[in-house]
Structure formats: C-alpha cells, structure tokens
Amino acid sequence: MKHHTLSCILGLACSSMALGQVDPPLIPQPERLEWTQGRFDLTGTTIAIYKLELRDEAEFLQAGLRSVGIDADIEQVHRGMGKVVALGLAPNKGLKPEGYELTIVPEGAGLYGTDEAGVFRGIQTFLQLLPPPGTASPAVPCAMISDQPRFGWRGMHLDVCRHFMPADFIKKYIDLLARYKMNTFHWHLTDDQGWRIEIKRYPRLTEVGAWRNGSMVGHYRDRQYDTLHYGGFYTQEEVKDIVAYAAKRHITVVPEIEMPGHAMAALAAYPELSCTGGPFDVERGWGVFDDVFCAGNDSVFAMLENVLTEVMTLFPGQYIHIGGDECPKERWKTCTKCQERMKANGLKDEHELQSHFIQRMEKFVNASGRKIIGWDEILEGGLAPNAAVMSWRGTEGGIAAAKQKHNVVMTPGSHCYFDHYQGDPAQEPLAIGGHTTVQKVYSFEPIPSELTAEEGQYILGAQGNVWTEYINTPEHVEYMAVPRMLALAEVLWSPKEKRNEKDFIARLLQEFPRLEAMGVNASKSIYQVETTIVRGNEPGRLTVGLSSPLGLDLMYTITRPPYSEQGRLGRYSQPLTIDADCEVQGFTMNNGSTGPIARKRFDFNWATAQAITCNPLPNERYDDGGPLTLVDGIHAGERRVNYEWLGWRSDVTITVHLSLGKMLTHVGIGALEEHSSWIHLPEQVVISTSLDGKTFAVQGTVKPEKDAQGNVHLGIDLKEVGAAAVRFEVKNTVRIPAGMAGAGNPAWLFLDEIEVR
C-alpha cells in the first residue's frame, strides 16, 4: 500500500503542465523547485506515515495543519480514498542527510526524506506554503521540489548570561530555527555575569553564581549600574525538556561552558579555583576580567570534569563548546602554581599554558566519546588535536584551522554578530556597535577564497550570534535576530549559485505578516533608506546617494544651519551634491505611509571631500567607507558603528591634499577609547604640513587628552601656516597593557573625522 499511494502521487505530478506562478515566500530557497499546475485543497486531508519512526514528524505536520483549520488524522497506512499527505523515508535518493523530495498535486502530497530530519525539513517547506490562518479554503500550490542543505552546521547562538531568558522563550527561539531549516542551537550558559545551568554536584554555582547585585545600564563607556538583584538559571529538568523539544525538531543543542576565562560567576561561588583565592562577586558589568580559572590547580580540572560529566548527560550532541576566548594571562604570570605547571610541562609562555589547559579538557571530553569546539583563541599556543574552531575574529582563525585539517564553524563579527545595529543607529535600540544589515548577512560566503577545495571541506557551516549585553527581553532578542536569521539560513541551506538578494528580499516581505501572526517581534529596519557617500566631481563636494532595498519611492530634505526649520521636501531621483554644512534626511513612501527616516549631518571644513591616502589601509574588519570616512563631514555619533570609524592594529600615516593652498589655524583628528573592545588611544600623533604635497615640515606632536565630555580630538592650533597638504603620523599602542581587557594583544586604533581650518 505504501508504494502504491506515493507512486500514484508522483505519477500525477509528472503529467502536470507547468504553470508560471509567482514564487511563494519559501525561505530558505529550495535547491530545485518546479511549480506545476493546480493546487492541493487541504480539506479532508489525512496524514499517512509508513514507518513508526515518523510519528513525531507526522504530529508536527498535524499541528501545523490545525493552525489553518484543517483537522487531519494520522494513519500508519492510508486506507481511505480521500486526500493524503504521505510521509516516507528514501535514503537512497542520492541526497545529503536532511535532504527531501516533496511532490504536491491536486490529489495530495508525497514527501520522501533521506532520514527523519529530511522529512521534517520537507514538512517545514510544506507549512511555509500554507495560506494565512482563516483562509476560506486552505490550499497549497502544486510543485515538485528536490532539496538538500549546502552545509551541515546551520546555527544560531543565544547568550543567556548577560540577560537571562525564560525557558518558554528558548522553545520559541528553537521553533524559529526549525522554521528556517537551521539545525544547531548554541546555548551560551556560563560567563562572568551569571552561571545559568544547575550542576547537582556544585550547588553554589547557581545559588551564588546565577545572581548578581546590579547590572550595567546604558553603554559600557558610561559605566552606570542599577542596584537590582538579577539572575536566574535552568534546572536540569528544564534543560532536559528543552533538549528533547529541540530534538523533535531535529535541532542539536550545543552547550557552552566557558573556560579558562569568563569565569567570574563560577569563581564567586568557588573562589578557591582562582589564582588568588578571591573573594569575588558575580560581575555587574560587561567586558573581560583578569581573574580566571587557575591553570596550575588540579582541583580546577577535577571540578570542570565533574561539571562536564553532568553536562554531557544532559546534552547528547557530538560537540561541547568550552569557550576559550578572551582569557587574560596576568594572574597566571604571577601565580606560583601556574608557573610550576609551565615548568613541569616545558611550556614557554602563558599562551601555551592555555593550550595545555584546553588539550587536557579535550582528552577528558574525547574519552566520553564527544568532541570540543571553542572560539578561535584556542588556536593560540597550539590547537588541541581533535578540536573544532568557531572563528569569530574575522575569518583568519577559520582559515588557519581548516589548513590544519580541523573542522570550522564560521561566525565572523563582520557578518554574523546580530547584536550589532541593523539600521540607522539613531533609529535603533541601543546596541554594542557595529552595523550589520540583512543584506550584509545575505552577502556572507562561509568558505573563504583562500582555501583550496579540499580545505574548504573542513568548513562545517556557520552560525549567527546574539550576545545580550544590550538585550534584556525576549522581544528584543527577536528584534535583533529576525530577519537576519532568515538571511543566514538561506546562505547556509541554499546553493550558492541560487542566491539572489532581490528575490530574497521579495520573499522576506511576504514573510513579515506571517512572523507577525506568530507573535515574532521582527525588525523592519530593512525599510530603512540606505545612504552612500562618495567624493563629488570637484574637490570639496560630496555626492549623497539614497536607495531603498525594497524599490520604494524615496523622498528627501536638505536642511541648512541653524536647523530650526525643516528643509523643503523633494522626491529623490538622482544623487544629491552638497558642499556646505547641512542635514540630509531620506525616507521611503509607500501608499501614503512613510518609512523610518535616515539622517546624516555634514559639517564641512577644508579637509572635507579632499583627496586622502592612508598607509597602510584600514584593517578589513573596520574599513567600511574607506579613507573617505575620515573626510566625509560626518562625526562619529554616540552609537558607534563601523562606517563612522576606521580601524587599524598598526601605526598609520594619513595624508590629506587640500584643493587650494590654505592658511591654517587648526589641524586635528578624532580618536576613540573603548577598552572593553580593545580600542585604545594612540600614543601620539605627529602633525606635519606641506606647501607642495611632497616635502613636509613637522608642526607639532600631540598626545591624547579628553575633554570634559570624554571626547578626544588630537589637534594643534597654528598661526596661519600655509599648506597644500596635511599629514598625520599616528603611533598606535603596540600592546594592550597589563590589567586591561585583552592584555598582551595588539590594540585597536579607531580614528574619525579630520578637521583642517
């Protein structure tokens, strides 16, 4: 009976005539999709399963059909003559794990999966084809689909340490992952600001470590705190329930237990596991802290092994994430036990001590039949033999690991950090910084061009990360994750050659009402007007372009100082040319409704829109806008984003060529200090001028000082010095000093607008 029902459905599909239909909003886009004639009316439908292993999948489909008013029964063998959705396994179809074939004809639908997960992914496709709830006659379009994932690791991360999220929301988050065919949930469970998982053998981890006496409010640089007792944790029963819930959706939960750094919550509970003995408090603020697990203390390894034993009992997946990032070494340098450990094992420095720490933990995890994965810092000092690397500091760590034949999950901050701004920061909730739009996520390619085809096979996939320093509610998590999660889901599932940004956005817009119906607080920042700034045809002029990724009509205003009255409204048709102080506002217009306003305020000086060179060029992670960023008339705002600053990890020489000789009275450049992000002020700036653009005379050397508001402008006043060019030789802080976040690592240098008057 099994083969008869499914083969009849497939035969009917093959005889159908192609129908040029508009694509429904399938996200991610299937590998192969052919729309055929007609539709399958769901009224009176039965779900037939031919293997008991598919009972969970059938019940999931049944619940989805009930959401549109279809009360379908489940039968192990279809005995009636009514319409049927038949579910089966076909492991020899030549598709990867999680692959499926879905055929829909007017008489019914047949869904084969290479495995149970493949059937589930096909069900998600079928459910995305359902009409909105309340449709008079629910039906789905007829189609033939053959589909499989591009990557095996398609993940989303969630930090519940900085801000705790209730168990019910974790399930909702998992449902979102499942809808878009993601298969990995990376659960960040321990950090300096809270230990969030019950460990029976060490009750103080949650009695003490799960609670803090206040939290940072506002931006990190303001160092303001509330006094509220804050925290929470998941019992082991809650964890088991969530893991089982995810498993039914064929999602693996990867727990993260941070070590050897980011351990303040654990050390507050058990201070004897530190190098100094404490006492400690669970951290109220964000950042990186010097006190870490003592690498010379055997009790630390015994405790962590006991913790991981309980963790591995709760989480049956292959990988255990052990963190390994941002581990200061200052305490180890002065700790007798750590130094003895280094001597006994022939370790030349503290980086090798960290590698020794990670390798010891890996042996324990491997002995239990599991593998470790850690952030790319675990490469430092030597990579553990069987470890996988999660590359977050760009793609370099992933490239290095893949060349060493280690598995890699790509998650660079440039494209995969969903705690960054996604629209105009002035219109967005406060975020840590950065600027990662839906389109930027969609442009991400997980396999770097630097890898050979063989090396590229070690790229398991990628994931999006949601860190919650500035995200304290489930609704805010949804706003930051959705729709960027959808863009990443398509990057990881669909064939690279099928990706089309314009087509994806069209489907995304159709998905928004469905997300709203599901109660998901999705960001609509994609409606935000995008602004591009380039040098004009003549020196001293800028060309401002406005665009809508949705193709909507655009309106604009240009307002001049003193900005007390709004500028005249105009319909945007071509780039705007400006050459004096002004504010440009742009917004979309659609059926009488306006979108969010994009604002750019330009303050002109003699350097604005002039020719500029930087040697070397900015680091690729912080080069949005290129050198023009330093002379585009826009001062970096309070909400730092990439395109307002350029970043280096070296000294830099910057030269601005003035269009006409000028008599200068002031020259300067802006700089940023944000130690939590490893951003330090330069040691000094040497400022020179030139009459011919070739020979330069030093006018002065400036060391950084802050004004009353905490701003830094590295400048000098001059007595009408003639110049046709100005040069800034900026000396970066070579290494981050001891006692600060990232101590011993190269410091970041962030520079902003140049002023020449």
Side-chain angles (χ1 to χ4, degrees):
M1 192 68 179
K2 163 187 174 183
H3 298 292
H4 175 72
T5 303
L6 291 179
S7 61
C8 285
I9 290 172
L10 293 172
L12 287 166
C14 293
S15 64
S16 297
M17 299 286 291
L19 182 67
Q21 300 184 29
V22 177
D23 289 3
L26 290 178
I27 299 175
Q29 182 82 305
E31 182 178 68
R32 290 190 293 276
L33 166 64
E34 179 186 351
W35 300 112
T36 54
Q37 187 173 7
R39 67 178 196 173
F40 168 28
D41 188 338
L42 295 168
T43 303
T45 295
T46 297
I47 301 169
I49 57 174
Y50 298 96
K51 282 189 176 294
L52 289 177
E53 296 98 308
L54 296 177
R55 184 76 192 188
D56 285 345
E57 286 70 35
E59 289 177 352
F60 191 89
L61 175 58
Q62 183 183 49
L65 292 174
R66 285 175 177 168
S67 72
V68 294
I70 300 299
D71 192 7
D73 291 328
I74 298 174
E75 298 179 355
Q76 186 173 351
V77 176
H78 184 50
R79 304 183 186 281
M81 298 302 293
K83 297 183 177 182
V84 62
V85 178
L87 307 180
L89 293 174
N92 299 317
K93 282 285 185 177
L95 297 174
K96 297 177 183 177
E98 301 183 79
Y100 67 92
E101 290 185 348
L102 172 62
T103 302
I104 305 171
V105 296
E107 290 72 22
L111 172 58
Y112 286 106
T114 56
D115 48 24
E116 289 89 343
V119 173
F120 185 82
R121 307 300 176 217
I123 288 171
Q124 291 293 352
T125 296
F126 189 85
L127 293 177
Q128 283 194 18
L129 294 173
L130 292 178
T135 302
S137 180
V140 295
C142 293
M144 296 182 66
I145 299 172
S146 178
D147 200 11
Q148 61 184 343
R150 181 183 176 200
F151 291 101
W153 186 301
R154 308 180 305 281
M156 283 294 296
H157 153 286
L158 183 61
D159 163 22
V160 295
C161 302
R162 278 52 179 255
H163 284 102
F164 180 74
M165 301 295 156
D168 286 347
F169 174 69
I170 302 299
K171 291 182 177 180
K172 184 179 180 182
Y173 196 71
I174 288 169
D175 281 335
L176 282 170
L177 271 65
R179 179 171 175 83
Y180 304 109
K181 299 184 175 67
M182 288 191 157
N183 66 357
T184 306
F185 171 45
H186 174 178
W187 202 0
H188 185 78
L189 287 164
T190 74
D191 215 300
D192 298 302
Q193 297 80 16
W195 184 285
R196 304 291 180 219
I197 179 172
E198 178 189 24
I199 301 297
K200 302 284 190 182
R201 186 159 180 168
Y202 300 99
R204 286 178 60 81
L205 286 173
T206 47
E207 290 172 359
V208 175
W211 308 92
R212 61 180 185 251
N213 294 316
S215 303
M216 185 172 283
V217 294
H219 198 278
Y220 176 89
R221 67 175 68 95
D222 298 329
R223 303 296 180 93
Q224 296 181 350
Y225 305 86
D226 64 28
T227 57
L228 300 176
H229 189 60
Y230 181 88
F233 66 93
Y234 307 97
T235 67
Q236 291 200 1
E237 289 306 309
E238 288 176 312
V239 170
K240 290 176 185 176
D241 181 51
I242 288 168
V243 170
Y245 187 87
K248 282 194 172 184
R249 287 147 182 81
H250 298 279
I251 290 174
T252 300
V253 184
V254 177
E256 182 176 358
I257 307 297
E258 277 273 17
M259 60 183 81
H262 286 294
M264 291 301 295
L267 297 181
Y270 297 98
E272 64 273 17
L273 301 177
S274 70
C275 291
T276 65
F280 307 106
D281 294 318
V282 178
E283 282 294 338
R284 300 181 301 155
W286 327 132
V288 178
F289 305 94
D290 281 345
D291 287 289
V292 300
F293 285 120
C294 178
N297 186 346
D298 285 334
S299 297
V300 168
F301 294 98
M303 177 266 197
L304 290 174
E305 288 173 1
N306 291 332
V307 167
L308 290 181
T309 296
E310 292 193 31
V311 167
M312 287 187 285
T313 301
L314 298 169
F315 296 91
Q318 180 182 22
Y319 282 102
I320 303 296
H321 203 301
I322 49 77
D325 63 312
E326 297 179 329
C327 178
K329 313 295 192 295
E330 295 309 304
R331 296 289 185 259
W332 291 355
K333 291 177 181 178
T334 58
C335 173
T336 302
K337 290 182 179 179
C338 289
Q339 293 303 308
E340 288 176 351
R341 176 87 69 195
M342 290 172 59
K343 184 177 180 180
N345 289 275
L347 307 176
K348 67 179 182 182
D349 59 24
E350 285 72 21
H351 290 291
E352 289 193 359
L353 179 59
Q354 177 168 337
S355 178
H356 174 83
F357 189 112
I358 297 298
Q359 290 188 43
R360 181 165 173 174
M361 296 310 304
E362 183 192 48
K363 289 178 182 177
F364 174 77
V365 172
N366 290 168
S368 300
R370 309 293 185 85
K371 297 179 180 180
I372 67 165
I373 186 169
W375 302 108
D376 55 56
E377 284 95 332
I378 68 173
L379 284 158
E380 298 169 1
L383 188 55
N386 303 308
V389 170
M390 194 165 276
S391 187
W392 73 279
R393 298 180 299 175
T395 58
E396 298 88 347
I399 292 169
K403 287 182 177 294
Q404 296 177 40
K405 299 184 178 182
H406 285 260
N407 287 336
V408 174
V409 176
M410 286 295 192
T411 180
S414 58
H415 292 76
C416 297
Y417 268 47
F418 296 169
D419 54 338
H420 291 177
Y421 291 108
Q422 53 195 312
D424 182 355
Q427 310 294 325
E428 294 281 313
L430 180 65
I432 193 170
H435 189 247
T436 306
T437 63
V438 169
Q439 295 91 328
K440 187 170 184 179
V441 175
Y442 195 77
S443 73
F444 177 53
E445 171 48 46
I447 300 180
S449 59
E450 293 90 337
L451 297 179
T452 65
E454 181 183 355
E455 291 165 345
Q457 295 177 10
Y458 290 97
I459 306 299
L460 301 179
Q463 74 176 30
N465 293 337
V466 181
W467 300 100
T468 59
E469 288 95 335
Y470 298 86
I471 305 172
N472 57 12
T473 66
E475 294 76 18
H476 196 174
V477 170
E478 292 172 1
Y479 182 89
M480 301 302 280
V482 182
R484 291 185 283 195
M485 175 197 297
L486 282 65
L488 185 60
E490 184 150 309
V491 166
L492 298 176
W493 179 279
S494 304
K496 181 180 178 180
E497 61 273 12
K498 290 203 70 172
R499 297 214 315 259
N500 181 293
E501 181 185 294
K502 184 177 180 180
D503 178 67
F504 168 74
I505 289 173
R507 286 179 279 121
L508 175 59
L509 297 185
Q510 295 180 69
E511 183 73 357
F512 275 136
R514 297 168 183 264
L515 287 164
E516 186 174 349
M518 291 187 289
V520 177
N521 182 36
S523 168
K524 301 293 180 62
S525 298
I526 195 168
Y527 286 91
Q528 181 82 53
V529 170
E530 295 180 351
T531 305
T532 56
I533 303 166
V534 298
R535 288 184 65 207
N537 294 329
E538 298 179 14
R541 292 188 176 184
L542 293 169
T543 298
V544 182
L546 305 177
S547 62
S548 165
L550 312 182
L552 301 176
D553 290 338
L554 294 172
M555 309 297 290
Y556 76 93
T557 63
I558 298 179
T559 306
R560 305 290 181 183
Y563 306 114
S564 56
E565 296 182 6
Q566 183 69 48
R568 191 172 70 177
L569 182 66
R571 184 177 295 277
Y572 178 84
S573 59
Q574 62 184 12
L576 311 171
T577 298
I578 59 173
D579 59 6
D581 294 359
C582 64
E583 180 175 275
V584 176
Q585 298 184 8
F587 55 91
T588 57
M589 185 71 73
N590 186 33
N591 296 324
S593 298
T594 61
I597 296 173
R599 293 181 173 88
K600 297 290 182 185
R601 181 165 293 189
F602 299 89
D603 295 318
F604 275 69
N605 63 77
W606 288 344
T608 307
Q610 302 295 334
I612 180 171
T613 59
C614 299
N615 185 21
L617 291 171
N619 186 283
E620 63 177 4
R621 292 171 62 183
Y622 301 107
D623 66 348
D624 291 358
L628 179 65
T629 299
L630 300 177
V631 291
D632 64 1
I634 301 175
H635 290 271
E638 177 183 341
R639 299 184 173 188
R640 174 172 65 81
V641 295
N642 292 1
Y643 58 72
E644 292 172 340
W645 296 93
L646 298 183
W648 288 265
R649 271 189 157 170
S650 64
D651 299 346
V652 59
T653 298
I654 301 165
T655 305
V656 180
H657 295 274
L658 309 179
S659 55
L660 296 172
K662 303 288 187 182
M663 300 300 291
L664 310 185
T665 59
H666 181 81
V667 178
I669 188 169
L672 178 67
E673 182 177 52
E674 194 172 286
H675 291 168
S676 64
S677 302
W678 301 11
I679 301 170
H680 287 249
L681 295 173
E683 290 186 3
Q684 66 178 31
V685 179
V686 178
I687 299 175
S688 306
T689 60
S690 173
L691 290 170
D692 59 7
K694 299 177 181 179
T695 303
F696 285 81
V698 174
Q699 298 296 334
T701 299
V702 189
K703 294 188 180 293
E705 293 183 3
K706 293 182 181 180
D707 62 19
Q709 287 73 43
N711 301 315
V712 179
H713 178 73
L714 297 162
I716 57 173
D717 292 327
L718 304 172
K719 295 183 178 180
E720 294 192 342
V721 173
V726 178
R727 176 166 290 172
F728 301 85
E729 297 174 76
V730 187
K731 183 173 178 56
N732 190 14
T733 300
V734 178
R735 296 282 173 180
I736 298 174
M740 293 188 175
N745 288 284
W748 281 102
L749 170 70
F750 271 42
L751 300 176
D752 183 30
E753 201 68 8
I754 290 171
E755 289 189 9
V756 178
R757 301 189 186 278

